[in-house]
Amino acid sequence: MSEYSLKSFVASRRQNDAEHDYFELETPQMLEINLNNQFVWTKNGSMVGYVGNIKFERESMLSGGLGNLLKKTLTGEGAKLMKAEGTGRVYVADNGKKVQILHLENESISVNGNDILAHDQTIQSKITMLKSVAGMMSGGLFQVKLSGTGHVAITTHGDPLVLMVKPDQPVFTDPNATVAWSGNLSPELKTSVSFKSLLGRGSGEEFQMKFSGEGWVLIQPYEEVYFQNQS
């Protein structure tokens, strides 16, 4: 059989029926979620296929209370989720970005809202806001804090890098390249330019997120811009 035949192509690309982990990477850019009469939260619009008896339901805008409603109304990031429930396999992806699977054990992480692909029903989510003008101008205003025990899938452009934060060694990052950080850290947004300059900014390099204390920060080799400022 030729290596370029249709049969060879299908055999090399078909899903792996031998693996049935709850969260499983079918390819570096595609997540398979195996459901057994349970549900998960997935990024709205991320479902690319499914097998079995699965139903999908948009997250209520009121879930999480009126505070979360206000934040979801204001943000253009991926804070809106879809509930996938039933028994079968769900395949999710996000614009060809690489998928990173994490398992939290009574832990918490903060994630850029646009970079959350899916999380277990046992994980609690809370939208948090960086209260500064720099945050609003950078498009890094909203993050989601994920807490508890269970699976989380996040996405990155390319291969990410973890930077360790030490008490005597703070880490500074570009907000648009910052994907996630350990839940114990509370970043500050810094800028060295005037407010007048902010209104006409062309890149994220005027802004930095400062992480102090002890923990880690995940960055990607790409500046992902969520809001385009109008001049």
Side-chain angles (χ1 to χ4, degrees):
M1 181 173 61
S2 169
E3 63 177 307
Y4 300 116
S5 70
L6 184 58
K7 186 177 292 186
S8 294
F9 175 78
V10 172
S12 66
R13 296 296 181 180
R14 64 173 295 175
Q15 77 270 14
N16 185 355
D17 291 329
E19 296 289 341
H20 296 288
D21 291 337
Y22 183 20
F23 276 40
E24 175 188 332
L25 286 181
E26 275 297 305
T27 73
Q29 296 85 16
M30 191 176 299
L31 174 69
E32 176 187 289
I33 305 173
N34 288 282
L35 295 177
N36 184 14
N37 195 28
Q38 60 200 127
F39 73 86
V40 294
W41 293 106
T42 63
K43 183 176 182 177
N44 195 26
S46 65
M47 190 276 289
V48 294
Y50 71 94
V51 177
N53 184 19
I54 309 289
K55 67 176 182 178
F56 300 90
E57 179 182 350
R58 289 181 182 272
E59 178 188 26
S60 169
M61 287 296 287
L62 284 174
S63 65
L66 291 177
N68 268 7
L69 170 62
L70 175 61
K71 295 170 187 175
K72 290 173 186 176
T73 301
L74 291 175
T75 180
E77 298 180 31
K80 296 178 182 178
L81 299 174
M82 180 81 74
K83 183 180 181 181
E85 183 174 15
T87 298
R89 298 191 302 267
V90 181
Y91 297 93
V92 292
D94 185 10
N95 293 313
K97 295 166 66 177
K98 286 196 170 183
V99 181
Q100 319 292 330
I101 300 176
L102 310 172
H103 186 267
L104 306 185
E105 296 187 11
N106 197 25
E107 298 167 297
S108 66
I109 61 171
S110 291
V111 185
N112 186 310
N114 194 59
D115 297 324
I116 297 175
L117 181 61
H119 69 77
D120 201 339
Q121 66 186 70
T122 58
I123 296 294
Q124 301 297 312
S125 64
K126 180 180 179 181
I127 298 175
T128 60
M129 178 167 43
L130 293 178
K131 299 178 180 178
S132 76
V133 171
M136 289 185 284
M137 301 303 291
S138 71
L141 181 59
F142 292 95
Q143 296 80 39
V144 181
K145 188 166 187 176
L146 302 174
S147 306
T149 298
H151 288 79
V152 173
I154 62 178
T155 56
T156 62
H157 286 278
D159 294 321
L161 175 68
V162 171
L163 301 178
M164 302 307 297
V165 182
K166 301 177 182 178
D168 60 344
Q169 186 177 315
V171 168
F172 298 84
T173 66
D174 184 322
N176 295 327
T178 307
V179 177
W181 55 92
S182 49
N184 61 302
L185 296 179
S186 296
E188 302 173 65
L189 277 164
K190 300 289 187 181
T191 181
S192 57
V193 297
S194 68
F195 179 74
K196 183 178 179 180
S197 298
L198 296 180
L199 298 178
R201 77 180 189 90
S203 73
E205 293 173 1
E206 294 95 340
F207 305 91
Q208 305 89 40
M209 295 177 78
K210 179 182 179 182
F211 295 88
S212 303
E214 189 164 7
W216 55 266
V217 182
L218 184 71
I219 58 173
Q220 63 184 2
Y222 183 91
E223 293 186 29
E224 190 169 14
V225 179
Y226 313 108
F227 299 99
Q228 297 294 328
N229 297 315
Q230 303 296 320
S231 56

